[in-house]
Amino acid sequence: MFDGYDSCSEDTSSSSSSEESEEEVAPLPSSLPIIKNNGQVYTYPDGKSGMATCEMCGMVGVRDAFYSKTKRFCSVSCSRSYSSNSKKASILARLQGKPPTKKAKVLQKQPLVAKLAAYAQYQATLQNQAKTKAAVSMEGFSWGNYINSNSFIAAPVTCFKHAPMGTCWGDISENVRVEVPNTDCSLPTKVFWIAGIVKLAGYNALLRYEGFENDSGLDFWCNICGSDIHPVGWCAASGKPLVPPRTIQHKYTNWKAFLVKRLTGAKTLPPDFSQKVSESMQYPFKPCMRVEVVDKRHLCRTRVAVVESVIGGRLRLVYEESEDRTDDFWCHMHSPLIHHIGWSRSIGHRFKRSDITKKQDGHFDTPPHLFAKVKEVDQSGEWFKEGMKLEAIDPLNLSTICVATIRKVLADGFLMIGIDGSEAADGSDWFCYHATSPSIFPVGFCEINMIELTPPRGYTKLPFKWFDYLRETGSIAAPVKLFNKDVPNHGFRVGMKLEAVDLMEPRLICVATVTRIIHRLLRIHFDGWEEEYDQWVDCESPDLYPVGWCQLTGYQLQPPASQSSRESQSASSKQKKKAKSQQYKGHKKKRKMPVGKKPVSLSSLPMTGGVRRSFSGDEELTPPPYRTLPAQTALEAFPPPSTSREFSPSLKPVTTLQLKEELLDGEDYNFLQGASDQESNGSANFYIKQEP
């Protein structure tokens, strides 16, 4: 393990002795590899395939992962670059220790950036790895500095099962040891040293070099899933030197004995950690796949869209009729807003026929089994009926929960919901929720959980009382037992930091904080913005990500708004408040971007998830009336949906590191229709008052 270290540390000398008292290494969970001491240090590196060095860029990795039969190059890019006219000059300069030319830098940049780890390259195509490793620099913002300076706590990776490593993060925690590049070194070559995790924040870890004890002077933050983080023993298997930092190199005379003593019984990353990261970042959705997605201009219907790109499981969808490919929509591949071709026809949902009569070359329908499967429900017994009242998150203003009505009952448990007091006459602003959706609630949910309920627009009998409203409208409340009462052990806590999609601008992912937790419902606040921009989101929403997700996947993160941006936005809001007293709160203001920050948008067209309640009189865009399901005459050009709706997750669970979730089984609840002040105590405490 220390062969490389011996050749680089002959000049280290000091009067200090390696026998100085050391703090005992704290015991860690047992599912990570243990470094044992039996005369020497043993690890479990994946070195069976042999190592190879790229003749173009110098990258070292497992031989079998290299390109071509000769295994001379790590990638196609290096193989082609080697054949170019500049190969001799660039290679000669590298061998002589001279700085490479500008062209040579370009040639070797791609393979270095594109790898999660050299020996895991065979798990993915070069194109996918280029996306996952293309980190976007955030000038002026650093998660590490932001967390350290404010003593923030980040939500653990295990809270996000849809994110890379979300189901196999395992026992990675403080005191786990890793091998990382040694930046405190004057040697011209890249060398490594061992560091321990001091603090975890999502994917990011605060590391301290071994030997610094309580000295935090050279502590640094890095993404634990990055290509430069390796389990202990990787250097020995890869022929990389271990060199102690220059600041402490004279502290001990026998560094090998020091490391053996310090690492005995300690934990390190699994030997296949980089491979697991690579596998968890492979996504089944590919460009040119066709899907049905909600029409962002008419929530009541769906349209056909084509996958343009995939970044970290997030899809940029371009509506099929968009000639310049700028009419797009962002969502996660597990979003409830996308479905297989033929879904609308199968359940009786409105659908906008495409003017394109036949599929374009290369486009193909997404297999139905790739979409998230909804829970099966029994609609034969007591079930939702048209006209029943409930409470629902307004999709046009996600900071509010409103009085709502079931307007249409579709097949497979889907419901069309309308917001009372603000519906269009033709129902063009109804929206579709599944009966098990965590975004709909029984009458009285807000009052019991001390959440402000938004009454119907124009309703003057305030404060709003459900009992009076049901009597006045001659309506009944939807039975409580029909709602989803499952509350998973999600692990979120108030104050935790994360990265969250601004669902009113779904191309943006922002620095955010959990400010309230009501069972499985999270109140997400976007740091630096006013509370009116907060959003209610489910704890298992695919639009929430751990700290460091954007850096890992190459997606642009929006930092907290600057003080000047907040003051400008606040002044604009105050000027409008006088004229807004009678306006519907669902008209969401578009968020202004902080100065100098650009989103990851692949289109110059601003796109928002929020749409207006009223629409133009264009007859071509007016959706047809509902038909009794199934609508046999609709979508004749599309095949019927497959009967197989099984969900195949892209993240393969690892049994040894799999997170165990405990779901709280809810019992049936007795709830008086219309009596919002009634509550009952079930085992899941779903409708019990919670402190704000």
Side-chain angles (χ1 to χ4, degrees):
M1 172 180 175
F2 304 104
D3 293 343
Y5 161 73
D6 291 338
S7 64
C8 299
S9 58
E10 295 176 357
D11 61 338
T12 59
S13 61
S14 175
S15 58
S16 300
S17 169
S18 63
E19 301 300 324
E20 292 179 4
S21 61
E22 303 291 344
E23 292 183 4
E24 232 178 76
V25 178
L28 292 171
S30 58
S31 64
L32 294 177
I34 300 178
I35 307 168
K36 300 180 179 179
N37 177 22
N38 187 15
Q40 56 182 326
V41 178
Y42 292 98
T43 55
Y44 307 93
D46 183 14
K48 297 178 182 179
S49 303
M51 308 303 295
T53 302
C54 179
E55 295 182 18
M56 182 61 203
C57 69
M59 172 67 72
V60 178
V62 171
R63 181 180 179 82
D64 286 349
F66 272 47
Y67 175 71
S68 79
K69 294 181 179 180
T70 61
K71 308 300 182 185
R72 296 171 60 194
F73 307 104
C74 65
S75 65
V76 178
S77 177
C78 279
S79 176
R80 292 176 179 173
S81 299
Y82 189 88
S83 302
S84 66
N85 294 331
S86 63
K87 67 174 183 178
K88 294 182 179 179
S90 61
I91 294 174
L92 180 61
R94 191 180 299 109
L95 293 176
Q96 293 176 348
K98 298 178 181 179
T101 62
K102 183 177 181 180
K103 186 173 183 180
K105 287 183 179 179
V106 174
L107 292 177
Q108 59 176 307
K109 179 180 180 180
Q110 176 62 25
L112 290 175
V113 175
K115 297 178 178 61
L116 282 171
Y119 68 87
Q121 186 180 7
Y122 67 95
Q123 295 290 337
T125 64
L126 184 63
Q127 178 182 2
N128 283 338
Q129 287 204 349
K131 293 176 182 177
T132 59
K133 286 301 299 171
V136 180
S137 60
M138 286 281 301
E139 182 181 359
F141 178 77
S142 164
W143 261 122
N145 294 337
Y146 190 59
I147 288 176
N148 270 352
S149 60
N150 298 280
S151 299
F152 290 141
I153 298 176
V157 175
T158 52
C159 291
F160 310 88
K161 291 181 175 53
H162 59 280
M165 303 297 292
T167 58
C168 54
W169 189 250
D171 298 317
I172 299 175
S173 58
E174 296 178 4
N175 295 322
V176 169
R177 306 301 207 282
V178 292
E179 291 180 353
V180 294
N182 179 5
T183 58
D184 184 25
C185 182
S186 58
L187 295 176
T189 59
K190 186 176 183 179
V191 296
F192 292 78
W193 189 240
I194 296 173
I197 298 178
V198 178
K199 184 177 182 178
L200 270 178
Y203 293 117
N204 293 345
L206 180 63
L207 299 179
R208 180 174 300 169
Y209 287 121
E210 200 65 49
F212 274 82
E213 309 305 335
N214 296 323
D215 183 2
S216 61
L218 287 184
D219 288 3
F220 60 98
W221 286 90
C222 70
N223 195 303
I224 204 70
C225 295
S227 59
D228 276 336
I229 310 299
H230 308 282
V232 173
W234 177 86
C235 285
S238 305
K240 299 292 184 181
L242 279 174
V243 179
R246 180 173 50 183
T247 304
I248 60 170
Q249 65 181 351
H250 298 292
K251 189 174 182 180
Y252 300 99
T253 57
N254 189 341
W255 280 100
K256 181 184 291 187
F258 167 79
L259 288 180
V260 170
K261 183 177 180 180
R262 290 289 293 174
L263 299 180
T264 298
K267 303 290 182 179
T268 187
L269 299 177
D272 59 347
F273 182 75
S274 292
Q275 181 178 342
K276 290 178 181 177
V277 172
S278 180
E279 289 175 350
S280 68
M281 297 181 71
Q282 304 311 309
Y283 307 103
F285 282 79
K286 307 297 179 185
C288 297
M289 283 185 171
R290 300 170 76 241
V291 300
E292 288 186 9
V293 63
V294 65
D295 187 340
K296 66 184 182 183
R297 293 183 178 85
H298 298 263
L299 294 184
C300 67
R301 69 186 185 190
T302 58
R303 296 173 60 184
V304 174
V306 179
V307 177
E308 179 75 11
S309 59
V310 184
I311 303 179
R314 288 184 58 75
L315 312 177
R316 179 183 180 246
L317 303 172
V318 176
Y319 290 113
E320 197 170 48
E321 295 174 301
S322 176
E323 296 181 358
D324 57 0
R325 308 196 69 76
T326 58
D327 191 8
D328 60 359
F329 184 82
W330 280 93
C331 68
H332 192 271
M333 63 182 183
H334 294 161
S335 170
L337 300 178
I338 60 172
H339 310 276
H340 62 83
I341 297 296
W343 173 85
S344 297
R345 180 182 182 181
S346 69
I347 71 163
H349 194 282
R350 292 186 186 181
F351 177 81
K352 182 180 184 297
R353 293 173 181 264
S354 175
D355 293 336
I356 301 176
T357 56
K358 89 175 174 179
K359 289 182 285 188
Q360 300 181 17
D361 292 341
H363 293 178
F364 58 100
D365 296 350
T366 306
H369 71 271
L370 296 184
F371 296 88
K373 184 179 179 181
V374 296
K375 184 178 179 181
E376 294 184 1
V377 294
D378 181 13
Q379 298 183 224
S380 59
E382 186 177 10
W383 191 242
F384 293 100
K385 294 182 175 60
E386 293 183 20
M388 283 184 172
K389 299 294 183 180
L390 69 165
E391 299 175 3
I393 296 176
D394 184 354
L396 304 185
N397 185 358
L398 294 165
S399 66
T400 63
I401 299 179
C402 305
V403 174
T405 303
I406 297 174
R407 294 303 182 187
K408 190 75 173 180
V409 179
L410 309 180
D412 294 342
F414 288 95
L415 310 169
M416 296 302 297
I417 308 288
I419 299 297
D420 283 22
S422 56
E423 298 176 64
D426 60 355
S428 56
D429 58 353
W430 298 351
F431 49 94
C432 184
Y433 278 143
H434 193 263
T436 60
S437 170
S439 298
I440 59 174
F441 317 96
V443 163
F445 174 84
C446 285
E447 181 177 357
I448 291 172
N449 292 286
M450 302 175 65
I451 301 173
E452 181 183 359
L453 177 66
T454 301
R457 182 176 60 178
Y459 188 78
T460 58
K461 197 172 181 180
L462 302 177
F464 178 85
K465 293 292 184 182
W466 264 115
F467 183 81
D468 295 336
Y469 185 70
L470 291 173
R471 183 177 55 189
E472 293 169 2
T473 58
S475 306
I476 61 172
V480 175
K481 65 180 181 180
L482 299 181
F483 292 85
N484 180 13
K485 295 184 285 291
D486 293 337
V487 182
N489 184 20
H490 47 71
F492 286 102
R493 299 291 181 269
V494 171
M496 283 183 170
K497 296 293 179 181
L498 69 163
E499 298 175 3
V501 175
D502 178 1
L503 294 172
M504 305 309 295
E505 287 272 7
R507 63 196 172 104
L508 303 181
I509 297 183
C510 311
V511 173
T513 307
V514 178
T515 57
R516 281 196 73 182
I517 301 176
I518 306 296
H519 311 295
R520 63 180 301 145
L521 196 62
L522 309 180
R523 179 82 170 181
I524 301 298
H525 173 73
F526 297 102
D527 291 18
W529 295 97
E530 297 176 355
E531 291 184 0
E532 62 181 303
Y533 293 108
D534 290 0
Q535 296 177 1
W536 288 108
V537 182
D538 182 60
C539 65
E540 294 182 344
S541 169
D543 295 306
L544 303 178
Y545 304 99
V547 167
W549 181 89
C550 283
Q551 179 188 7
L552 177 64
T553 60
Y555 206 99
Q556 174 70 56
L557 176 67
Q558 303 302 319
S562 62
Q563 182 66 29
S564 58
S565 298
R566 291 197 301 269
E567 291 175 354
S568 174
Q569 182 69 27
S570 177
S572 175
S573 299
K574 290 179 180 178
Q575 292 176 359
K576 296 180 180 181
K577 281 185 177 179
K578 293 182 179 179
K580 284 184 62 181
S581 58
Q582 298 299 323
Q583 292 182 2
Y584 175 60
K585 294 174 64 177
H587 288 277
K588 192 72 171 180
K589 296 189 295 296
K590 186 184 296 182
R591 176 169 300 162
K592 297 182 179 179
M593 295 298 300
V595 178
K597 302 299 178 184
K598 296 182 179 180
V600 72
S601 174
L602 302 178
S603 164
S604 59
L605 178 67
M607 195 276 293
T608 65
V611 296
R612 59 185 182 274
R613 293 284 184 188
S614 59
F615 308 100
S616 65
D618 191 343
E619 294 299 328
E620 294 182 0
L621 292 179
T622 303
Y626 271 97
R627 302 177 181 179
T628 57
L629 54 103
Q632 298 293 341
T633 60
L635 282 180
E636 294 178 355
F638 296 108
S642 170
T643 56
S644 173
R645 302 184 65 182
E646 191 104 15
F647 172 48
S648 296
S650 62
L651 305 183
K652 300 178 180 179
V654 180
T655 55
T656 56
L657 295 178
Q658 189 175 12
L659 176 70
K660 294 181 179 178
E661 280 289 349
E662 295 181 359
L663 299 180
L664 300 178
D665 296 329
E667 298 177 353
D668 290 340
Y669 297 89
N670 296 322
F671 197 89
L672 299 181
Q673 295 180 350
S676 61
D677 56 341
Q678 300 294 323
E679 60 180 279
S680 60
N681 299 333
S683 62
N685 295 327
F686 192 81
Y687 299 114
I688 303 305
K689 292 185 178 180
Q690 299 242 331
E691 293 299 326

